[in-house]
Amino acid sequence: MSKDRLISQSILKRMKDYINNEECGLKIKAQYVDGVVFPPSEAQLLGQWFEYICTGAMPPYDSERVPEAKKLKNGNLAKSYERMEYQVANFKNLLKHYNIEIVSIGEEIQYGNARGTTDIIAIVDGQKAIIDLKASGLIRDKWNPLGWEDIANPYKPKMKVLTQAIHYKYIAKNAWQCDDVPFYFWIFSTTNEKDNRIIKVEIDEDEYALHERELADAKVYLEKQLENGFKAKPSMLRCRNCPLAHSCEHKTEFAEVEVVHYSSELTL
């Protein structure tokens, strides 16, 4: 890894997953270091198409592929894409309702060890702000770590969601020399064309220093893994869904034995 490699919010989250044995190191290296473009899932394809129709943004890591809607044999849009057509209209109506002026689409921002590519930079309430578009089937989900309900629960904040906001606010605050840069998630349901949410994320000032240290630690850790070699962390489900599985000597097709220890002496 070169010394000038910057840390994106995606890499930061994947490294945390790797440390927690929730992601395979070989997949991280292939995607974020070697530049292997993995085929998108159906949900990702839908989200990419929605964002493209809303803003003209091309898919990340595959900027030459123009997103296309999935159609049925009769030529009509698949139900999921038909639903998101309504959400495109909702997006445009929200822009008008809040009098939002779009300044740029897909602009890369960076500061220190951090980088990120914004969906939308806009003027909101007279102030430069970042808007991140999401197409999600978990818009009202409280329990899934990627669900949008109760994301800042003080007892268990959903960092898989919040990390992006903290990361982008940190970069923009320093790069743009502002006390605070508003950050909004605009979430549009993929299961209900009438449901969408706008969430403004505000963070405590102390979080910026914490994030800066986290970025520095992540850079050192990532460079160390590249020097020593990423480790394969196979699991039945991960391997079954991994694009590298067809040629990976570490893949597993079987469930691992899970040991659960119970003692009646531990009960109250």
Side-chain angles (χ1 to χ4, degrees):
M1 173 181 174
S2 70
K3 295 294 183 181
D4 60 352
R5 186 182 293 278
L6 303 179
I7 304 296
S8 69
Q9 59 94 17
S10 297
I11 294 175
L12 186 60
K13 289 189 290 188
R14 293 296 80 75
M15 293 305 296
K16 290 180 180 178
D17 290 341
Y18 178 68
I19 292 170
N20 293 327
N21 294 316
E22 296 175 355
E23 184 60 280
C24 177
L26 302 185
K27 185 177 178 182
I28 292 175
K29 182 178 182 298
Q31 186 171 11
Y32 294 105
V33 179
D34 300 335
V36 176
V37 179
F38 292 157
S41 66
E42 287 297 322
Q44 289 172 330
L45 286 171
L46 179 61
Q48 291 169 3
W49 179 83
F50 170 68
E51 188 173 337
Y52 174 72
I53 298 301
C54 284
T55 68
M58 300 295 284
Y61 310 111
D62 194 9
S63 59
E64 295 184 0
R65 176 176 59 84
V66 177
E68 296 183 359
K70 184 176 181 179
K71 293 185 178 181
L72 304 175
K73 291 182 179 180
N74 61 9
N76 294 335
L77 287 178
K79 187 64 178 179
S80 57
Y81 285 81
E82 184 180 292
R83 190 178 296 119
M84 295 313 291
E85 268 200 326
Y86 286 97
Q87 293 288 32
V88 170
N90 291 334
F91 167 79
K92 294 179 179 179
N93 288 333
L94 283 169
L95 289 178
K96 293 179 181 179
H97 177 75
Y98 287 106
N99 193 29
I100 291 173
E101 175 191 350
I102 294 179
V103 176
S104 66
I105 300 296
E107 180 176 333
E108 184 161 313
I109 57 176
Q110 64 181 59
Y111 174 80
N113 291 323
R115 68 172 175 85
T117 302
T118 59
D119 285 346
I120 298 172
I121 294 177
I123 302 300
V124 182
D125 296 330
Q127 187 175 1
K128 196 174 182 181
I130 296 172
I131 297 174
D132 195 82
L133 289 184
K134 301 291 185 187
S136 175
L138 303 172
I139 191 168
R140 304 288 170 180
D141 193 301
K142 182 176 182 179
W143 306 110
N144 192 298
L146 295 174
W148 292 96
E149 193 70 32
D150 204 22
I151 63 172
N153 187 312
Y155 300 104
K156 193 176 182 180
K158 296 183 177 180
M159 296 311 298
K160 287 184 181 291
V161 172
L162 290 173
T163 293
Q164 182 177 5
I166 296 169
H167 188 75
Y168 280 43
K169 284 174 70 70
Y170 164 81
I171 297 173
K173 170 184 168 69
N174 289 284
W176 299 348
Q177 293 293 295
C178 297
D179 290 336
D180 183 63
V181 175
F183 181 96
Y184 299 86
F185 286 116
W186 282 29
I187 311 121
F188 296 83
S189 173
T190 59
T191 59
N192 181 355
E193 65 271 17
K194 297 180 181 179
D195 195 10
N196 52 75
R197 302 178 67 180
I198 295 177
I199 298 176
K200 182 180 182 182
V201 180
E202 297 179 344
I203 66 173
D204 294 337
E205 188 69 23
D206 293 344
E207 294 296 327
Y208 292 116
L210 291 173
H211 190 69
E212 189 166 55
R213 288 199 293 272
E214 188 174 45
L215 287 167
D217 290 344
K219 186 176 177 69
V220 171
Y221 184 77
L222 183 54
E223 289 173 349
K224 184 177 180 180
Q225 299 311 304
L226 288 168
E227 181 179 345
N228 297 335
F230 275 98
K231 294 181 180 180
K233 295 189 178 183
S235 76
M236 181 183 68
L237 288 179
R238 278 202 299 272
C239 291
R240 284 182 177 177
N241 295 314
C242 180
L244 304 175
H246 67 283
S247 60
C248 182
E249 62 182 20
H250 302 282
K251 70 178 179 181
T252 181
E253 299 177 355
F254 305 100
E256 299 174 352
V257 176
E258 301 177 50
V259 178
V260 177
H261 180 76
Y262 171 77
S263 173
S264 60
E265 294 179 359
L266 299 177
T267 60
L268 298 178

